[in-house]
């Protein structure tokens, strides 16, 4: 993922990558920085994004689904549960689908919130981490700042206004990402749960 993400960000932030495709962009990166650096630079930033993203997506999906099924299966009296009552007028499959969608929506929000700081750090790392990047020499632009340096740069842009404004820099673009990535995650998790059920496995959180 590291070279792909680096290429993607350079294609939208670096004029010298304008008009390049994925393969030509990768070739340009290797030419500028060498193969090893292309494959490894920004690994810390990538982990800062992907680990919270994956954790937030999968764990919250399981937890929320289990919580909803717990409500549905809680005995209302000695003879029935809420799920059984609902299933008299609504298909059990539709109930499962509804739980999957609601759980996936919550999971998408959690994944975006947890991974947004890492995404901002990742973008800043690959674009050079400086507003004066265009003035740097070619040799300087191939040397990317470390994770701590990038995080410090983002925080100190607004830290003179207080701690919260400094931290808010890590959530720049959150609303757009909630719409974009949120829709992708919701779709992925619903399809994942449907495929599980088609294969004869129980719906997420139902067991």
């Amino acid at each position: 993922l590291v070279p792909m993400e680096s290429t993607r960000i350079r294609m939208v932030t670096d004029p010298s990558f304008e008009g390049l495709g994925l393969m030509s962009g990768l070739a340009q990166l290797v030419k500028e920085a060498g193969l090893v650096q292309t494959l490894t630079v920004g690994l810390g930033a990538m982990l800062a994004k992907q680990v919270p993203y994956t954790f937030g997506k999968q764990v919250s999906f399981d937890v929320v689904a289990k919580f909803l099924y717990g409500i549905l299966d809680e005995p209302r009296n000695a003879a029935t549960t809420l799920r059984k009552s609902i299933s008299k007028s609504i298909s059990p499959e539709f109930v499962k689908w509804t739980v999957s969608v609601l759980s996936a929506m919550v999971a998408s929000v959690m994944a975006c919130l947890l991974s947004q700081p890492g995404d901002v750090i990742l973008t800043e790392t690959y674009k050079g981490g400086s507003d004066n990047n265009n003035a740097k020499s070619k040799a300087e632009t191939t040397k990317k700042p470390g994770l701590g340096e990038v995080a410090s740069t983002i925080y100190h842009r607004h830290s003179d206004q207080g701690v919260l404004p400094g931290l808010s820099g890590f959530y720049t673009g959150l609303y757009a990402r909630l719409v974009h990535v949120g829709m992708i995650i919701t779709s992925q998790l619903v399809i994942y749960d449907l495929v599980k059920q088609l294969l004869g496995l129980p719906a997420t959180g139902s067991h």
Side-chain angles (χ1 to χ4, degrees), residues 3 5 25-26 35 47 77 103 106 122 128 169 181-182:
E5 193 72 11
L26 282 171
L35 180 61
L47 291 174
N77 52 53
S103 302
V106 174
L122 187 67
V181 179

Side-chain angles (χ1 to χ4, degrees), residues 85-154:
S85 299
I86 294 175
S87 295
K88 292 178 181 178
S89 56
I90 300 176
S91 166
E93 286 70 27
F94 183 77
V95 174
K96 291 181 181 179
W97 182 84
T98 302
V99 170
S100 293
V101 171
L102 292 176
S103 302
M105 290 174 67
V106 174
S108 70
V109 173
M110 289 300 299
C112 287
L113 288 175
L114 291 173
S115 65
Q116 181 64 16
D119 189 64
V120 173
I121 291 172
L122 187 67
T123 300
E124 192 71 22
T125 297
Y126 286 137
K127 77 172 188 178
S130 172
D131 294 332
N132 298 317
N133 190 50
N134 291 334
K136 292 183 177 182
S137 69
K138 185 175 181 180
E140 288 176 306
T141 58
T142 59
K143 184 179 180 181
K144 301 299 181 184
L147 180 62
E149 183 182 348
V150 173
S152 178
T153 298
I154 295 170

Side-chain angles (χ1 to χ4, degrees), residues 18-179:
E18 185 177 353
L20 296 180
L22 175 61
M23 299 310 297
S24 55
L26 282 171
Q28 180 72 7
L29 278 179
V30 173
K31 182 179 179 181
E32 286 184 4
L35 180 61
V36 174
Q37 191 171 2
T38 299
L39 292 173
T40 59
V41 167
L43 180 59
M46 178 66 74
L47 291 174
K49 172 187 175 182
Q50 290 297 332
V51 172
Y53 171 84
T54 304
F55 177 84
K57 179 176 70 171
Q58 294 298 144
V59 174
S60 59
F61 181 57
D62 289 355
V63 170
V64 174
K66 197 168 191 65
F67 172 75
L68 293 177
Y69 278 116
I71 294 176
L72 290 172
D73 292 334
E74 184 177 356
R76 303 182 69 189
N77 52 53
T80 187
T81 63
L82 179 58
R83 195 198 309 206
K84 290 180 180 178
S85 299
I86 294 175
S87 295
K88 292 178 181 178
S89 56
I90 300 176
S91 166
E93 286 70 27
F94 183 77
V95 174
K96 291 181 181 179
W97 182 84
T98 302
V99 170
S100 293
V101 171
L102 292 176
S103 302
M105 290 174 67
V106 174
S108 70
V109 173
M110 289 300 299
C112 287
L113 288 175
L114 291 173
S115 65
Q116 181 64 16
D119 189 64
V120 173
I121 291 172
L122 187 67
T123 300
E124 192 71 22
T125 297
Y126 286 137
K127 77 172 188 178
S130 172
D131 294 332
N132 298 317
N133 190 50
N134 291 334
K136 292 183 177 182
S137 69
K138 185 175 181 180
E140 288 176 306
T141 58
T142 59
K143 184 179 180 181
K144 301 299 181 184
L147 180 62
E149 183 182 348
V150 173
S152 178
T153 298
I154 295 170
Y155 175 76
H156 284 101
R157 280 179 181 159
H158 303 290
S159 61
D160 57 332
Q161 302 172 26
V163 175
L164 289 180
L167 293 175
S168 68
F170 291 99
Y171 287 90
T172 302
L174 176 61
Y175 295 133
R177 193 158 183 261
L178 281 170
V179 175

